[in-house]
Amino acid sequence: MKKSDSERLKHEITGLAVLEILRMHTDVSLTVLIKQLRLMQAGEMDRTRKQLIDSVINEFKNFNPDKIKIKPDRTIDESDFSASKKPKLH
C-alpha cells in the first residue's frame, strides 16, 4: 500500500470514529476518540485496517498540543464583521 493510500485511509478511519462519537451525542475529546478507535479496531476483521487503526491510535496517544503554536495572521476587529463598508473607529 502506498503511503498516500495509507494516509487517506487513516483520515477516513479518524473521520468515521468522530462521526460515530457525534452520533452518540457525546463531547469529542482525545480520550473519547481513542476509545472509539479501540472499539473499531476490536471489531475490524481486515488485518491491514487493524494495523492502520493501531497506527492512528499511536499517533493520537503521542500527540502533544503544546507543540502547536497557532498565530493569527492579523488581529480581527469588529469591523471585519460589520455590514457597513466603513471601518469602525474605536
Coordinates of all heavy atoms in Angstrom, one line a residue:
M1 N 0.8 -1.2 0.0 CA 0.0 0.0 0.0 C 0.9 1.2 0.0 O 1.9 1.3 0.8 CB -0.9 0.0 1.2 CG -1.8 1.1 1.3 SD -2.8 1.2 2.8 CE -3.5 -0.4 2.9
K2 N 0.6 2.2 -0.9 CA 1.4 3.4 -0.9 C 1.1 4.3 0.3 O 0.1 4.1 0.9 CB 1.0 4.2 -2.2 CG 1.4 3.6 -3.5 CD 1.3 4.6 -4.6 CE 0.2 4.2 -5.5 NZ -0.1 5.1 -6.6
K3 N 2.1 5.1 0.6 CA 1.9 6.0 1.8 C 0.7 6.9 1.6 O 0.0 7.0 2.6 CB 3.2 6.8 2.0 CG 3.1 7.7 3.2 CD 4.4 8.4 3.4 CE 4.3 9.3 4.7 NZ 5.4 10.0 5.0
S4 N 0.5 7.4 0.5 CA -0.7 8.3 0.3 C -2.0 7.5 0.5 O -3.0 8.1 1.1 CB -0.7 8.9 -1.1 OG -0.7 7.9 -2.1
D5 N -2.0 6.3 0.1 CA -3.2 5.4 0.3 C -3.4 5.2 1.8 O -4.5 5.3 2.3 CB -3.1 4.1 -0.4 CG -3.2 4.2 -1.9 OD1 -3.7 5.2 -2.4 OD2 -2.8 3.3 -2.6
S6 N -2.3 4.9 2.5 CA -2.5 4.6 4.0 C -2.9 5.9 4.7 O -3.7 5.8 5.6 CB -1.2 4.0 4.5 OG -0.1 4.9 4.5
E7 N -2.3 7.0 4.3 CA -2.7 8.3 4.9 C -4.2 8.6 4.7 O -4.9 9.1 5.6 CB -1.8 9.4 4.4 CG -0.4 9.4 4.9 CD -0.3 9.5 6.5 OE1 -0.9 10.4 7.0 OE2 0.4 8.7 7.0
R8 N -4.6 8.4 3.5 CA -6.0 8.6 3.2 C -6.9 7.7 4.0 O -7.9 8.2 4.6 CB -6.3 8.3 1.7 CG -7.7 8.6 1.2 CD -8.0 8.2 -0.2 NE -7.7 6.8 -0.5 CZ -8.6 5.8 -0.1 NH1 -9.7 6.1 0.5 NH2 -8.3 4.6 -0.4
L9 N -6.5 6.4 4.2 CA -7.3 5.5 5.0 C -7.3 5.9 6.5 O -8.3 5.8 7.2 CB -6.8 4.1 4.8 CG -7.3 3.4 3.6 CD1 -6.6 2.1 3.4 CD2 -8.8 3.2 3.7
K10 N -6.1 6.4 6.9 CA -6.1 6.9 8.3 C -7.0 8.1 8.6 O -7.7 8.1 9.6 CB -4.6 7.3 8.7 CG -3.7 6.2 8.9 CD -2.3 6.8 9.2 CE -1.3 5.8 9.5 NZ 0.0 6.4 9.8
H11 N -7.1 9.0 7.6 CA -8.0 10.1 7.7 C -9.4 9.6 7.7 O -10.3 10.1 8.4 CB -7.8 11.1 6.6 CG -6.5 11.9 6.7 ND1 -6.3 12.9 7.6 CD2 -5.3 11.7 6.1 CE1 -5.1 13.4 7.5 NE2 -4.4 12.7 6.6
E12 N -9.7 8.7 6.8 CA -11.1 8.1 6.7 C -11.5 7.4 8.0 O -12.6 7.6 8.6 CB -11.1 7.1 5.6 CG -12.5 6.4 5.4 CD -12.5 5.4 4.3 OE1 -11.8 5.6 3.3 OE2 -13.1 4.4 4.5
I13 N -10.6 6.6 8.6 CA -10.8 5.9 9.9 C -11.1 6.9 11.0 O -12.0 6.8 11.8 CB -9.6 5.0 10.2 CG1 -9.6 3.8 9.3 CG2 -9.7 4.6 11.7 CD1 -8.3 3.0 9.3
T14 N -10.2 8.0 11.0 CA -10.4 9.0 12.1 C -11.8 9.7 11.9 O -12.5 9.9 12.9 CB -9.3 10.0 12.0 OG1 -8.0 9.4 12.1 CG2 -9.4 11.1 13.1
G15 N -12.1 10.0 10.7 CA -13.4 10.6 10.4 C -14.6 9.8 10.8 O -15.6 10.2 11.4
L16 N -14.5 8.5 10.5 CA -15.6 7.6 10.9 C -15.7 7.5 12.4 O -16.8 7.4 12.9 CB -15.3 6.2 10.3 CG -15.4 6.0 8.8 CD1 -14.9 4.6 8.4 CD2 -16.9 6.2 8.4
A17 N -14.6 7.5 13.1 CA -14.6 7.5 14.6 C -15.3 8.7 15.1 O -16.1 8.7 16.0 CB -13.2 7.3 15.1
V18 N -14.9 9.9 14.6 CA -15.5 11.2 15.0 C -17.0 11.2 14.7 O -17.8 11.6 15.5 CB -14.8 12.4 14.4 CG1 -15.5 13.7 14.6 CG2 -13.4 12.5 14.9
L19 N -17.4 10.7 13.5 CA -18.8 10.7 13.2 C -19.6 9.8 14.2 O -20.7 10.1 14.6 CB -19.0 10.1 11.8 CG -18.7 11.1 10.7 CD1 -18.8 10.4 9.3 CD2 -19.7 12.3 10.7
E20 N -19.0 8.7 14.5 CA -19.7 7.8 15.5 C -19.8 8.5 16.9 O -20.9 8.4 17.5 CB -18.9 6.5 15.6 CG -19.7 5.4 16.4 CD -21.1 5.1 15.9 OE1 -21.2 5.1 14.7 OE2 -22.0 4.9 16.7
I21 N -18.8 9.2 17.3 CA -18.9 9.9 18.5 C -20.0 11.0 18.5 O -20.8 11.1 19.4 CB -17.5 10.6 18.9 CG1 -16.5 9.5 19.2 CG2 -17.6 11.5 20.1 CD1 -15.0 10.0 19.2
L22 N -20.1 11.7 17.4 CA -21.1 12.7 17.2 C -22.5 12.1 17.2 O -23.4 12.7 17.8 CB -20.9 13.5 15.9 CG -19.6 14.4 15.9 CD1 -19.4 15.0 14.5 CD2 -19.7 15.5 16.9
R23 N -22.6 10.9 16.6 CA -23.9 10.2 16.6 C -24.4 9.8 18.0 O -25.6 9.7 18.3 CB -23.9 8.9 15.8 CG -23.9 9.2 14.3 CD -24.0 7.9 13.5 NE -23.8 8.2 12.1 CZ -22.8 7.7 11.4 NH1 -21.9 6.9 11.9 NH2 -22.7 8.0 10.1
M24 N -23.4 9.6 18.9 CA -23.7 9.3 20.3 C -24.0 10.5 21.1 O -24.3 10.4 22.3 CB -22.5 8.5 20.9 CG -22.2 7.2 20.3 SD -20.9 6.3 21.2 CE -19.5 7.3 20.9
H25 N -24.0 11.7 20.5 CA -24.2 12.9 21.2 C -23.3 13.1 22.4 O -23.7 13.5 23.5 CB -25.7 13.1 21.6 CG -26.6 13.0 20.5 ND1 -26.8 14.0 19.6 CD2 -27.4 12.0 20.0 CE1 -27.6 13.7 18.6 NE2 -28.1 12.5 18.9
T26 N -22.1 12.8 22.2 CA -21.0 12.9 23.3 C -20.0 13.9 22.9 O -19.8 14.1 21.7 CB -20.3 11.5 23.4 OG1 -21.3 10.5 23.6 CG2 -19.3 11.5 24.5
D27 N -19.5 14.6 23.9 CA -18.4 15.6 23.6 C -17.2 14.8 23.0 O -16.9 13.8 23.4 CB -18.0 16.3 24.9 CG -19.1 17.2 25.4 OD1 -19.9 17.6 24.6 OD2 -19.0 17.5 26.6
V28 N -16.6 15.5 22.0 CA -15.5 14.9 21.3 C -14.2 15.3 22.1 O -14.0 16.5 22.4 CB -15.3 15.4 19.9 CG1 -14.1 14.8 19.2 CG2 -16.6 15.0 19.1
S29 N -13.5 14.4 22.5 CA -12.2 14.6 23.2 C -11.2 13.6 22.7 O -11.6 12.6 22.1 CB -12.3 14.5 24.7 OG -12.6 13.2 25.1
L30 N -9.9 13.8 23.0 CA -8.9 12.9 22.6 C -9.1 11.5 23.2 O -9.0 10.5 22.6 CB -7.5 13.5 22.9 CG -6.3 12.8 22.3 CD1 -6.4 12.7 20.8 CD2 -5.1 13.5 22.8
T31 N -9.5 11.5 24.5 CA -9.7 10.3 25.2 C -10.9 9.5 24.6 O -10.8 8.3 24.3 CB -10.0 10.5 26.7 OG1 -8.9 11.3 27.2 CG2 -10.2 9.3 27.5
V32 N -12.0 10.2 24.3 CA -13.1 9.5 23.7 C -12.8 9.0 22.3 O -13.2 7.9 21.9 CB -14.3 10.5 23.7 CG1 -15.5 9.9 22.9 CG2 -14.8 10.8 25.1
L33 N -12.0 9.8 21.5 CA -11.6 9.4 20.2 C -10.8 8.1 20.2 O -11.0 7.2 19.5 CB -10.9 10.5 19.5 CG -10.4 10.3 18.1 CD1 -11.5 9.9 17.1 CD2 -9.6 11.5 17.6
I34 N -9.9 8.1 21.1 CA -9.0 6.9 21.2 C -9.9 5.7 21.6 O -9.7 4.6 21.1 CB -7.8 7.1 22.2 CG1 -6.9 8.1 21.6 CG2 -7.1 5.8 22.6 CD1 -5.8 8.6 22.5
K35 N -10.8 5.8 22.6 CA -11.7 4.7 23.0 C -12.5 4.2 21.8 O -12.7 3.0 21.6 CB -12.6 5.2 24.1 CG -11.9 5.3 25.4 CD -12.9 5.7 26.5 CE -12.2 5.9 27.8 NZ -13.2 6.3 28.9
Q36 N -13.0 5.2 21.0 CA -13.8 4.8 19.8 C -12.9 4.1 18.8 O -13.4 3.1 18.2 CB -14.5 6.0 19.2 CG -15.3 5.7 18.0 CD -16.5 4.8 18.3 OE1 -17.1 4.8 19.4 NE2 -16.8 3.9 17.4
L37 N -11.7 4.5 18.6 CA -10.8 3.8 17.7 C -10.5 2.4 18.2 O -10.4 1.5 17.4 CB -9.5 4.6 17.5 CG -9.7 5.9 16.7 CD1 -8.4 6.8 16.9 CD2 -9.8 5.6 15.2
R38 N -10.4 2.2 19.5 CA -10.1 0.9 20.0 C -11.3 0.0 19.8 O -11.1 -1.2 19.5 CB -9.8 1.0 21.5 CG -8.4 1.5 21.7 CD -8.0 1.4 23.2 NE -6.6 1.9 23.4 CZ -6.2 2.6 24.4 NH1 -7.1 3.0 25.3 NH2 -5.0 3.0 24.4
L39 N -12.5 0.5 19.9 CA -13.7 -0.3 19.6 C -13.8 -0.7 18.2 O -14.1 -1.8 17.8 CB -15.0 0.5 20.0 CG -15.4 0.7 21.4 CD1 -16.5 1.7 21.6 CD2 -15.7 -0.7 22.0
M40 N -13.4 0.3 17.3 CA -13.4 0.0 15.9 C -12.4 -1.1 15.6 O -12.6 -2.0 14.8 CB -13.1 1.3 15.1 CG -14.2 2.3 15.1 SD -13.8 3.9 14.4 CE -13.4 3.4 12.7
Q41 N -11.2 -1.0 16.2 CA -10.1 -1.9 16.0 C -10.5 -3.3 16.4 O -10.3 -4.3 15.7 CB -8.9 -1.5 16.7 CG -7.7 -2.4 16.4 CD -6.5 -1.9 17.2 OE1 -6.6 -1.4 18.3 NE2 -5.3 -2.0 16.6
A42 N -11.2 -3.4 17.6 CA -11.7 -4.7 18.1 C -12.7 -5.4 17.1 O -12.7 -6.6 17.0 CB -12.3 -4.6 19.5
G43 N -13.5 -4.6 16.5 CA -14.5 -5.2 15.6 C -14.0 -5.4 14.1 O -14.7 -5.9 13.3
E44 N -12.8 -4.9 13.8 CA -12.3 -5.0 12.5 C -11.7 -6.4 12.1 O -11.0 -6.9 12.9 CB -11.2 -3.9 12.3 CG -10.6 -3.8 10.9 CD -11.7 -3.4 9.9 OE1 -12.3 -2.3 10.0 OE2 -11.9 -4.2 8.9
M45 N -12.1 -6.9 11.0 CA -11.6 -8.2 10.5 C -10.4 -8.1 9.6 O -9.6 -9.0 9.6 CB -12.7 -8.9 9.8 CG -14.0 -9.1 10.6 SD -13.6 -10.0 12.2 CE -14.4 -11.5 11.9
D46 N -10.3 -7.0 8.9 CA -9.2 -6.8 7.9 C -7.9 -6.4 8.7 O -7.9 -5.5 9.4 CB -9.6 -5.7 6.9 CG -8.5 -5.5 5.9 OD1 -8.7 -6.2 4.8 OD2 -7.6 -4.7 6.1
R47 N -6.9 -7.2 8.5 CA -5.6 -7.1 9.2 C -5.0 -5.7 8.9 O -4.4 -5.1 9.8 CB -4.7 -8.2 8.8 CG -3.4 -8.2 9.5 CD -2.6 -9.5 9.2 NE -1.4 -9.6 10.0 CZ -0.2 -9.8 9.5 NH1 -0.1 -9.9 8.2 NH2 0.8 -9.8 10.3
T48 N -5.0 -5.3 7.6 CA -4.4 -4.0 7.2 C -5.1 -2.8 7.9 O -4.4 -1.9 8.5 CB -4.5 -3.8 5.7 OG1 -3.8 -4.9 5.1 CG2 -3.8 -2.5 5.3
R49 N -6.4 -2.9 7.9 CA -7.2 -1.8 8.6 C -6.9 -1.8 10.1 O -6.8 -0.8 10.7 CB -8.6 -1.9 8.3 CG -9.0 -1.4 6.9 CD -10.5 -1.4 6.6 NE -11.2 -0.5 7.4 CZ -11.6 0.8 7.0 NH1 -11.1 1.2 5.8 NH2 -12.3 1.6 7.7
K50 N -6.8 -3.0 10.7 CA -6.5 -3.1 12.1 C -5.1 -2.4 12.4 O -5.0 -1.7 13.4 CB -6.4 -4.6 12.5 CG -7.5 -5.0 13.4 CD -7.2 -6.5 13.8 CE -8.1 -7.0 14.8 NZ -9.0 -7.2 15.5
Q51 N -4.2 -2.7 11.6 CA -2.8 -2.1 11.8 C -2.9 -0.5 11.6 O -2.3 0.2 12.3 CB -1.8 -2.7 10.8 CG -1.5 -4.1 11.1 CD -0.6 -4.7 10.1 OE1 -0.6 -4.3 8.9 NE2 0.1 -5.8 10.4
L52 N -3.7 -0.1 10.6 CA -3.9 1.3 10.4 C -4.5 2.0 11.6 O -4.1 3.1 12.0 CB -4.6 1.6 9.1 CG -3.9 1.4 7.8 CD1 -4.8 1.5 6.6 CD2 -2.8 2.5 7.7
I53 N -5.5 1.4 12.1 CA -6.2 1.9 13.3 C -5.2 2.0 14.5 O -5.2 3.0 15.2 CB -7.5 1.1 13.7 CG1 -8.5 1.2 12.6 CG2 -8.0 1.5 15.0 CD1 -9.7 0.2 12.7
D54 N -4.4 1.0 14.6 CA -3.4 1.0 15.7 C -2.4 2.1 15.5 O -2.0 2.8 16.4 CB -2.6 -0.4 15.7 CG -1.7 -0.5 16.9 OD1 -2.2 -0.3 18.0 OD2 -0.5 -0.8 16.7
S55 N -2.1 2.4 14.2 CA -1.2 3.5 13.9 C -1.8 4.8 14.3 O -1.2 5.7 14.8 CB -0.8 3.4 12.4 OG -0.1 4.5 12.1
V56 N -3.1 5.0 13.9 CA -3.8 6.2 14.3 C -3.9 6.4 15.8 O -3.7 7.5 16.3 CB -5.3 6.2 13.6 CG1 -6.1 7.4 14.1 CG2 -5.2 6.2 12.1
I57 N -4.2 5.3 16.5 CA -4.3 5.4 18.0 C -2.9 5.9 18.5 O -2.9 6.8 19.4 CB -4.7 4.0 18.6 CG1 -6.1 3.7 18.3 CG2 -4.4 4.0 20.1 CD1 -6.5 2.3 18.6
N58 N -1.8 5.3 18.0 CA -0.5 5.7 18.5 C -0.2 7.1 18.2 O 0.4 7.8 19.0 CB 0.6 4.8 17.9 CG 0.5 3.4 18.6 OD1 0.2 3.3 19.8 ND2 0.8 2.4 17.8
E59 N -0.6 7.6 17.0 CA -0.4 9.0 16.6 C -1.1 9.9 17.6 O -0.5 10.9 18.0 CB -0.8 9.3 15.2 CG 0.1 8.7 14.2 CD -0.3 8.9 12.7 OE1 -1.1 9.9 12.5 OE2 0.1 8.2 11.9
F60 N -2.3 9.6 18.0 CA -3.1 10.4 18.9 C -2.5 10.3 20.3 O -2.6 11.3 21.0 CB -4.6 10.1 18.8 CG -5.3 10.7 17.7 CD1 -5.9 9.9 16.7 CD2 -5.3 12.1 17.5 CE1 -6.6 10.5 15.7 CE2 -6.0 12.6 16.4 CZ -6.6 11.8 15.5
K61 N -2.1 9.1 20.7 CA -1.5 9.0 22.0 C -0.2 9.8 22.2 O 0.1 10.3 23.3 CB -1.2 7.5 22.3 CG -2.5 6.7 22.6 CD -2.3 5.3 22.7 CE -1.6 4.8 24.0 NZ -1.5 3.4 24.1
N62 N 0.5 9.9 21.1 CA 1.8 10.7 21.1 C 1.6 12.1 20.8 O 2.6 12.9 20.7 CB 2.8 10.0 20.2 CG 3.2 8.6 20.6 OD1 3.2 8.3 21.8 ND2 3.4 7.8 19.6
F63 N 0.4 12.6 20.6 CA 0.1 14.0 20.2 C 0.4 14.9 21.4 O 0.0 14.6 22.5 CB -1.4 14.1 19.8 CG -1.9 15.4 19.5 CD1 -1.4 16.1 18.4 CD2 -2.7 16.1 20.4 CE1 -1.8 17.4 18.1 CE2 -3.2 17.4 20.1 CZ -2.7 18.0 19.0
N64 N 1.1 15.9 21.1 CA 1.4 16.9 22.2 C 0.9 18.3 21.7 O 1.5 19.0 20.9 CB 2.9 17.0 22.4 CG 3.3 17.9 23.5 OD1 2.5 18.6 24.1 ND2 4.6 17.9 23.9
P65 N -0.2 18.7 22.3 CA -0.8 20.0 21.9 C 0.1 21.2 22.2 O -0.1 22.3 21.6 CB -2.2 20.1 22.6 CG -2.1 19.1 23.7 CD -1.0 18.1 23.3
D66 N 1.0 21.0 23.1 CA 1.9 22.2 23.5 C 2.8 22.5 22.3 O 3.4 23.6 22.3 CB 2.7 21.8 24.7 CG 1.8 21.7 26.0 OD1 0.7 22.3 26.0 OD2 2.2 21.0 26.9
K67 N 3.1 21.6 21.4 CA 4.0 21.8 20.3 C 3.3 22.7 19.2 O 4.0 23.2 18.4 CB 4.5 20.5 19.7 CG 5.4 19.8 20.6 CD 6.0 18.6 19.9 CE 7.0 17.9 20.8 NZ 7.5 16.7 20.2
I68 N 2.0 22.8 19.2 CA 1.3 23.5 18.2 C 1.2 25.0 18.7 O 0.7 25.3 19.7 CB -0.1 23.0 18.0 CG1 0.0 21.6 17.4 CG2 -0.9 23.8 17.0 CD1 -1.3 20.9 17.2
K69 N 1.7 25.9 17.9 CA 1.6 27.3 18.1 C 0.8 27.9 17.0 O 1.3 28.1 15.9 CB 3.0 27.9 18.3 CG 3.7 27.3 19.4 CD 4.9 28.1 19.9 CE 5.5 27.3 20.9 NZ 6.3 27.8 21.8
I70 N -0.4 28.3 17.3 CA -1.2 28.9 16.3 C -1.1 30.5 16.5 O -1.5 31.0 17.5 CB -2.7 28.5 16.4 CG1 -2.7 27.0 16.2 CG2 -3.5 29.2 15.4 CD1 -4.1 26.3 16.4
K71 N -0.7 31.1 15.4 CA -0.6 32.6 15.5 C -1.5 33.1 14.4 O -1.4 32.7 13.3 CB 0.8 33.0 15.1 CG 1.7 33.4 16.3 CD 3.0 33.9 15.7 CE 3.6 34.9 16.7 NZ 4.9 35.3 16.3
P72 N -2.4 34.0 14.8 CA -3.2 34.6 13.8 C -2.4 35.5 12.8 O -1.4 36.1 13.2 CB -4.2 35.5 14.6 CG -3.6 35.7 15.9 CD -2.6 34.5 16.1
D73 N -2.8 35.5 11.6 CA -2.2 36.3 10.6 C -2.3 37.8 10.9 O -1.4 38.6 10.7 CB -2.7 36.1 9.2 CG -2.4 34.7 8.7 OD1 -1.4 34.2 9.2 OD2 -3.1 34.2 7.8
R74 N -3.4 38.2 11.5 CA -3.7 39.5 11.9 C -4.8 39.5 12.9 O -5.5 38.6 13.1 CB -4.1 40.4 10.7 CG -5.4 40.0 10.1 CD -5.7 40.8 8.8 NE -6.9 40.4 8.2 CZ -8.1 41.0 8.4 NH1 -8.2 42.1 9.2 NH2 -9.2 40.6 7.9
T75 N -4.9 40.6 13.6 CA -5.9 40.7 14.6 C -7.2 41.1 13.9 O -7.3 42.0 13.1 CB -5.6 41.8 15.6 OG1 -4.3 41.5 16.2 CG2 -6.6 41.9 16.7
I76 N -8.3 40.4 14.2 CA -9.6 40.6 13.6 C -10.3 41.5 14.6 O -10.5 41.3 15.8 CB -10.4 39.3 13.4 CG1 -9.6 38.4 12.5 CG2 -11.8 39.6 12.9 CD1 -10.2 37.0 12.3
D77 N -10.8 42.6 14.0 CA -11.6 43.5 14.9 C -13.1 43.4 14.4 O -13.4 42.8 13.4 CB -11.1 44.9 14.9 CG -11.2 45.6 13.5 OD1 -11.9 45.1 12.6 OD2 -10.7 46.7 13.4
E78 N -13.9 44.1 15.1 CA -15.3 44.1 14.9 C -15.7 44.6 13.4 O -16.7 44.1 12.9 CB -16.0 45.0 15.9 CG -17.4 44.7 16.1 CD -17.9 45.6 17.2 OE1 -17.5 45.5 18.4 OE2 -18.8 46.5 16.9
S79 N -14.9 45.4 12.9 CA -15.2 46.0 11.5 C -15.2 44.9 10.4 O -15.9 45.1 9.4 CB -14.3 47.1 11.2 OG -13.0 46.7 11.1
D80 N -14.5 43.8 10.6 CA -14.5 42.8 9.7 C -15.8 42.1 9.5 O -16.1 41.5 8.5 CB -13.4 41.7 10.0 CG -12.0 42.2 9.9 OD1 -11.8 43.2 9.1 OD2 -11.1 41.6 10.4
F81 N -16.6 42.2 10.5 CA -17.9 41.5 10.5 C -19.1 42.5 10.4 O -20.2 42.2 10.5 CB -18.1 40.7 11.8 CG -17.0 39.7 12.0 CD1 -16.0 39.8 12.9 CD2 -17.1 38.5 11.2 CE1 -15.0 38.9 13.0 CE2 -16.1 37.5 11.4 CZ -15.1 37.7 12.2
S82 N -18.7 43.8 10.2 CA -19.7 44.8 10.1 C -20.4 44.8 8.7 O -19.7 44.5 7.7 CB -19.0 46.2 10.4 OG -19.9 47.2 10.1
A83 N -21.6 45.1 8.7 CA -22.3 45.2 7.4 C -21.9 46.4 6.6 O -22.1 46.5 5.4 CB -23.8 45.2 7.7
S84 N -21.4 47.4 7.3 CA -21.0 48.7 6.6 C -19.7 48.5 6.0 O -18.8 47.7 6.4 CB -21.1 49.9 7.6 OG -20.0 49.7 8.5
K85 N -19.4 49.3 5.0 CA -18.1 49.3 4.3 C -17.0 50.1 5.1 O -15.9 50.0 4.9 CB -18.2 49.8 2.9 CG -19.1 49.0 2.0 CD -18.3 47.8 1.6 CE -19.2 47.0 0.6 NZ -18.6 45.7 0.3
K86 N -17.5 51.0 5.9 CA -16.6 51.9 6.7 C -16.1 51.2 7.9 O -16.9 50.6 8.7 CB -17.4 53.2 7.1 CG -17.8 54.1 5.9 CD -18.5 55.3 6.4 CE -19.0 56.1 5.3 NZ -19.8 57.2 5.7
P87 N -14.8 51.2 8.2 CA -14.4 50.6 9.4 C -14.8 51.4 10.6 O -14.9 52.6 10.6 CB -12.8 50.6 9.3 CG -12.5 51.5 8.1 CD -13.8 51.7 7.3
K88 N -15.0 50.7 11.7 CA -15.5 51.4 12.9 C -14.3 51.9 13.6 O -13.2 51.3 13.7 CB -16.2 50.4 13.8 CG -17.5 50.0 13.3 CD -18.2 49.1 14.2 CE -19.6 48.7 13.6 NZ -20.3 47.8 14.5
L89 N -14.4 53.1 14.2 CA -13.3 53.7 14.9 C -13.5 53.4 16.4 O -14.6 53.5 16.9 CB -13.3 55.3 14.7 CG -13.1 55.7 13.3 CD1 -13.2 57.2 13.2 CD2 -11.7 55.3 12.8
H90 N -12.5 53.0 17.0 CA -12.6 52.6 18.4 C -12.1 53.7 19.3 O -11.2 54.4 19.2 CB -11.8 51.3 18.7 CG -12.4 50.2 17.9 ND1 -13.4 49.4 18.4 CD2 -12.0 49.7 16.7 CE1 -13.6 48.5 17.5 NE2 -12.8 48.6 16.4

